Amino acid sequence: APTVNITSPSNGSTISGSTVAITAVASDNVGVTKVTIAIDGQIVATDTAAPYTYTWSTRKAARGAHTITAKAYDAAGNIGTATITVYK
């Protein structure tokens, strides 16, 4: 399965400002075909080439904990997942 890590923001961090840059890195021996980024279970971005990034407009985000998940897919149909929690 591909490996994927969310490099920004960091797990457990408190986010501030009106936007937050979400960045993931992924690798695989077969080749990464796409990476999806989801916030609180809703897919907000799909990238087919690195860098895997999304700018989250946090203006309407509720205060409290939010889960960010990145999933990396490879050509063989395998999926790698990384999840972090951030706070607003």
Side-chain angles (χ1 to χ4, degrees):
T3 58
V4 61
N5 290 300
I6 299 169
T7 58
S8 176
S10 58
N11 188 37
S13 64
T14 299
I15 56 175
S16 61
S18 59
T19 61
V20 173
I22 300 170
T23 305
V25 294
S27 63
D28 184 74
N29 65 331
V30 176
V32 175
T33 58
K34 70 177 177 179
V35 171
T36 61
I37 296 173
I39 300 170
D40 296 330
Q42 289 290 111
I43 294 175
V44 294
T46 301
D47 280 329
T48 56
Y52 308 108
T53 61
Y54 175 72
T55 302
W56 177 22
S57 176
T58 59
R59 292 172 200 229
K60 294 182 182 179
R63 295 215 173 269
H66 296 277
T67 302
I68 300 172
T69 303
K71 290 187 178 184
Y73 299 78
D74 71 11
N78 300 308
I79 303 170
T81 304
T83 301
I84 66 166
T85 301
V86 294
Y87 301 89
K88 179 177 179 201

